[in-house]
Amino acid sequence: MPVPASNIRVKICGLSTPETVKAAVDAGADYLGFVFFARSPRNISPDDAAELGKLVPPHVLKVALTVDADDATLDRIVAALKPDMLQLHGHESPERLIELKSRFGLTLMKAVAVSEPEDLTRSDIYRDAADLLLFDAKPPKSMQNALPGGNGLVFDWSLIAGHRPEMPWMLSGGLTAENVGEAIRISGAEAVDVSSGVEDAPGRKNPKLIAEFIRAARSV
């Protein structure tokens, strides 16, 4: 049963300019994601994040995306951005999440790469460590230079319908204004995350596409 459109929460990830941060806020995004991963075309520095974070009003949550970052790196990011949430997109174990919860006291979102039912089953190990899960498409082994996320790949949303977790979760992976409605209907997602689907090129967000995506997600 689809949730009411007004309840769909939207995260715009990989923001890197004042113009696109403002566009996402004005369009009604619930979460803004900032990427701290050198290989990503959306990577920004903690200093840049500090400036962008000043543009985010209190009712919009700031999310810091990291990949197997060490404590010193996370200390710099948290001090600069003052995020509401850490999005962990690497191979972080449940034990690592518990350490980070103790260290920072922030909401933790663990990304889980999905391509088969077993991936969803394995995500159960984070039940007592993460506050919410992010289901993203697992890139095929043949994909060269694949990123941990933001590859624009879609996975079979019906997999989630068959194994819906008993904790809050968010759907990601190749979402666009054209397919997000179907993704919500099939998976039952109450929150969606987009990056490449609102870009003209990797790392270049389009304000018009951001607004179209949020409108489409909320009109299911």
Side-chain angles (χ1 to χ4, degrees):
M1 194 94 178
V3 296
S6 60
N7 287 344
I8 298 295
R9 299 183 304 281
V10 180
K11 175 172 171 281
I12 307 296
C13 195
L15 294 160
S16 59
T17 67
E19 293 75 21
T20 53
V21 167
K22 184 177 186 303
V25 170
D26 290 348
D30 301 284
Y31 311 83
L32 302 188
F34 302 93
V35 175
F36 303 90
F37 181 56
R39 283 208 298 119
S40 172
R42 306 166 186 99
N43 180 54
I44 61 173
S45 69
D47 287 344
D48 288 341
E51 293 305 309
L52 293 174
K54 295 175 183 177
L55 305 175
V56 184
H59 69 276
V60 179
L61 301 185
K62 294 176 291 187
V63 183
L65 186 159
T66 65
V67 181
D68 297 314
D70 59 25
D71 287 350
T73 300
L74 289 168
D75 285 343
R76 288 193 295 274
I77 292 168
V78 170
L81 178 62
K82 299 177 175 58
D84 302 285
M85 182 186 300
L86 294 179
Q87 179 176 335
L88 306 168
H89 236 288
H91 297 93
E92 298 89 356
S93 67
E95 292 75 21
R96 176 60 172 158
L97 267 66
I98 291 170
E99 289 175 4
L100 295 177
K101 175 66 80 171
S102 176
R103 187 179 185 89
F104 298 112
L106 295 172
T107 300
L108 301 181
M109 175 162 61
K110 180 69 185 82
V112 176
V114 178
S115 65
E116 57 187 8
E118 288 74 17
D119 295 321
L120 290 159
T121 303
R122 283 191 287 269
S123 72
D124 289 343
I125 66 171
Y126 294 105
R127 185 180 301 164
D128 298 323
D131 296 293
L132 69 161
L133 299 175
L134 174 73
F135 293 120
D136 199 357
K138 180 186 290 184
K141 293 180 180 178
S142 59
M143 186 175 182
Q144 294 186 350
N145 301 316
L147 297 169
N151 294 297
L153 302 175
V154 175
F155 68 93
D156 181 357
W157 302 313
S158 67
L159 293 176
I160 297 180
H163 184 90
R164 204 159 289 161
E166 298 176 0
M167 62 185 295
W169 58 278
M170 190 177 293
L171 180 67
S172 187
L175 298 179
T176 65
E178 287 71 33
N179 68 14
V180 67
E182 182 183 10
I184 291 168
R185 283 190 290 270
I186 292 174
S187 69
E190 297 182 11
V192 292
D193 179 20
V194 66
S195 185
S196 62
V198 292
E199 291 180 340
D200 292 324
R204 284 179 47 204
K205 294 287 186 291
N206 180 317
K208 182 170 179 283
L209 294 179
I210 290 172
E212 289 175 354
F213 182 88
I214 294 174
R215 191 160 51 245
R218 297 235 170 92
S219 62
V220 176

